[in-house]
Structure formats: C-alpha cells, structure tokens
Amino acid sequence: MTEIYETQPERTDLPLVVMPAVLGAMIDPIKAQFPVLKDVARVRMFEEFTSDETVLIERLAEADALLVGGYHISDGMLRAIAGHVKCIVFCGTGVASYINLDLARELKVRVCNAEHYGDHAVAEHTFALLFELIRRTGTLDKDVKDGNWAWAGGDGLQLAGRRMGIIGLGGIGATVASIARAFGMEVSAWNSHVPAEHFARSGATPVNDLNELIETSDVVSVHLPLNDATRGIITADNLDHLRPGTLFVNTARSEVIASGALLARLQRGDIPAALDVFDHEPLKASDPVCHIPGIVLTPHVGWRTDGAFKELTRQMIACLKAYFAGEDYNVVVSER
C-alpha cells in the first residue's frame, strides 16, 4: 500500500498541494521544507513513484496545486487537471521538456521551476562522464575484479593542456569552465547572448562562431537551457565540424541538438561521447545510441545530488508560498 504523508490535514480551510508521485531521494529533503507552508497550504504526498497518468489524475482530484518531478505531463493530463490545479511547480529547470507551456498559458495555469540549484551537481557529473571517457575507470575496475590485471586498454588521455569548448555559459557552463581551468585546460565558450561578466568570472575565452568553437576544441560540452530559442540550435552542420577524436559531452537537454543529428554524427564511429540526456527517456536497450562503441551513457542523473535536492526542494516550496501570497517566484508561465 502506498504511504501518504500529509501536513495539517485538519486545516480543510487551506488550499491543498498534492505531490502524486515522488522520487525516493526527494522524500526527506522536501519533507524538511513543508513547515514553510504552515498556515499557508496543506500538503499531501504519495511516497512512491509512478508515471501512470490515470493514477496521477486520480490522486490530484482535490488539488489546488501540483508538485511534479520525474514524469511528463501530457496535454490530455494537463487539460484534465486544469479545472482545479492552477499552479504547477516542476522539480527542475528544463520544464519545457515535460509540460506544454503554450497549453498551460492557454489554460491559465501557472508553471514554476527551479534555477541554478544543480549548477555544481551537473558540472561535477560532466567531469564524471568525461573521466570515464578518458580513463575508463568503470571498465578497468571490472577487469581487476575479474582477475584481469592488464595494462592494455589502461592508457588514458590527459585533460591538462587540452581545450574545452563550452556551448552555453550559464550557471552550469561557468562552473564547468572553472573546474576545467583548475585541471589545466584552456577554456573557450560560444559567445551567443552571453553577458560579458560570465566570461570574466569563468575565465573562458569568447568565440563568436559556433563552428569555429567546435572545430578548435578537444572537448565540447553542452550546457544550453531548453527554450524556444535553443531548441535544435546545434545543427548537423555544426556537428560536422567535430574533429575525429573530439570528446563530446551533453548534460543539458537532447532537444537543443537538431533531431537525429547527434546520432548520425556518432554513428560514424570517430567521436567518443558521453550523454546524460536523450530524445526519448527512459532510454531503451534497443535504442541505436546504446550500440555505438566508445559511448558512455547515464540515465539523466546529473542533477541528482544531496546538495541539489536540498536547494531544489527549497525553491519548490518557495514557489508555492509565493503563489498563495499572490507573489511571483521562478514563474515560467503566468496564470494572469
């Protein structure tokens, strides 16, 4: 039986916030934030994860606001709940990948997200992926434990002295730049609507032309947010400028790359890549990207650290408190 955690159940005069599904790692951090809503709103949290829309809609029957994370809200589900759910708070930044924002605007449902909560988490995961590419520690660990003590395959690449090209110099990209410089790398970044202070703070060199950035980099790391302006902004032509052997890492969103373009480029077999995000999630074992040699894949976990969960849940509850007070906080779509 699903455990249901409720706060102030006797306060039926207060609006109801429902979290109909929750990732296990979020349970304790978000519970720690619920006292902020004392005398503001009741909370009902179902302590299991499901993406079954029939179940989600049923659990949301009495909700005035929704806390959502880890699953997509279809247009049908959004329409089904919009009559009573007037505020949706998403547990992350890239809400455009999970909710039709234009439809939410049409239905006058506020949508909020969290910002910069995972800058360090995603930046650190970027380097976890990169180190797996260049040092193959996971494979070597398995070899040693299997009794295979061999130096063949153990020779790696060194980051110091290589150039990293960053596409997207926001909070995460700037953090990646700082880490890369600490490893002794030269760092450049695409100068596309990036404030000058971002370059000054991160130490990255601006490059105006994306193709130039890509073709002059030893490592290309993607950190663009997903929005209408960035969807598909990295094209097949851009990826053609990757030199054989260039390391390619994407911990942002797959949709910032033109559909099918990255798969086609990787299938040539000359680009070692590490990906945490995909066109279709969860990724199936039959997906072509799973069968490309030299590729490292992780299941969209770059943002999942203890520190990120703590800041993420703080912002989620702050969004709700602001909504019920008639104020704005991290509003992506306004209901007004």
Side-chain angles (χ1 to χ4, degrees), residues 122-130 133 163-170 172-177 180 185 187-190 210 213-214 217-224 234 239 242 246-253 256-257 272 274-275:
V122 178
E124 290 172 8
H125 192 68
T126 297
F127 281 90
L129 290 170
L130 188 53
L133 276 180
R163 175 174 293 177
M164 173 176 278
I166 295 175
I167 305 176
L169 196 68
I172 296 171
T175 305
V176 167
M185 301 185 75
V187 182
S188 299
W190 186 27
L210 181 55
L213 176 79
I214 291 173
S217 297
D218 302 302
V219 179
V220 173
S221 194
V222 181
H223 301 288
L224 290 167
I234 301 173
L239 297 179
L242 287 166
T246 301
L247 305 171
F248 184 89
V249 183
N250 188 5
T251 54
R253 284 289 189 270
V256 300
I257 303 174
L275 310 175

Side-chain angles (χ1 to χ4, degrees), residues 144-219:
V144 171
K145 290 174 179 176
D146 288 344
N148 180 22
W149 185 276
W151 287 351
D155 298 334
L157 299 177
Q158 179 174 295
L159 290 182
R162 283 185 161 84
R163 175 174 293 177
M164 173 176 278
I166 295 175
I167 305 176
L169 196 68
I172 296 171
T175 305
V176 167
S178 298
I179 296 173
R181 291 178 66 232
F183 278 118
M185 301 185 75
E186 299 178 25
V187 182
S188 299
W190 186 27
N191 188 19
S192 174
H193 308 292
V194 177
E197 58 265 27
H198 287 211
F199 286 101
R201 186 171 63 249
S202 67
T205 299
V207 177
N208 294 329
D209 183 76
L210 181 55
N211 287 341
E212 179 185 345
L213 176 79
I214 291 173
E215 67 189 11
T216 58
S217 297
D218 302 302
V219 179

Side-chain angles (χ1 to χ4, degrees), residues 72-297:
H72 292 76
I73 295 180
S74 71
D75 290 358
M77 178 176 171
L78 185 55
R79 289 191 175 94
I81 65 175
H84 52 94
V85 172
K86 292 302 180 183
C87 178
I88 297 175
V89 178
F90 177 70
C91 72
T93 302
V95 63
S97 296
Y98 290 82
I99 301 171
N100 183 336
L101 300 182
D102 289 335
L103 180 59
R105 191 173 292 108
E106 176 186 325
L107 296 171
K108 299 189 182 305
V109 176
R110 174 182 290 203
V111 178
C112 303
N113 69 350
E115 299 178 353
H116 300 297
Y117 69 94
D119 287 358
H120 287 279
V122 178
E124 290 172 8
H125 192 68
T126 297
F127 281 90
L129 290 170
L130 188 53
F131 275 111
E132 184 60 27
L133 276 180
I134 65 174
R135 300 309 299 262
R136 297 180 291 279
T137 52
T139 300
L140 294 172
D141 170 72
K142 184 178 184 301
D143 285 346
V144 171
K145 290 174 179 176
D146 288 344
N148 180 22
W149 185 276
W151 287 351
D155 298 334
L157 299 177
Q158 179 174 295
L159 290 182
R162 283 185 161 84
R163 175 174 293 177
M164 173 176 278
I166 295 175
I167 305 176
L169 196 68
I172 296 171
T175 305
V176 167
S178 298
I179 296 173
R181 291 178 66 232
F183 278 118
M185 301 185 75
E186 299 178 25
V187 182
S188 299
W190 186 27
N191 188 19
S192 174
H193 308 292
V194 177
E197 58 265 27
H198 287 211
F199 286 101
R201 186 171 63 249
S202 67
T205 299
V207 177
N208 294 329
D209 183 76
L210 181 55
N211 287 341
E212 179 185 345
L213 176 79
I214 291 173
E215 67 189 11
T216 58
S217 297
D218 302 302
V219 179
V220 173
S221 194
V222 181
H223 301 288
L224 290 167
L226 177 63
N227 53 46
D228 290 342
T230 62
R231 188 180 298 274
I233 197 169
I234 301 173
T235 66
D237 176 68
N238 297 142
L239 297 179
D240 278 342
H241 285 77
L242 287 166
R243 290 179 287 111
T246 301
L247 305 171
F248 184 89
V249 183
N250 188 5
T251 54
R253 284 289 189 270
S254 66
E255 296 95 332
V256 300
I257 303 174
S259 179
L262 181 59
L263 176 63
R265 182 65 186 87
L266 296 182
Q267 284 179 326
R268 298 185 201 175
D270 61 352
I271 299 297
L275 310 175
D276 187 50
V277 291
F278 308 93
D279 290 340
H280 305 286
E281 297 180 5
L283 194 67
K284 295 182 179 179
S286 59
D287 193 288
V289 76
C290 294
H291 303 283
I292 301 174
I295 304 298
V296 174
L297 310 176

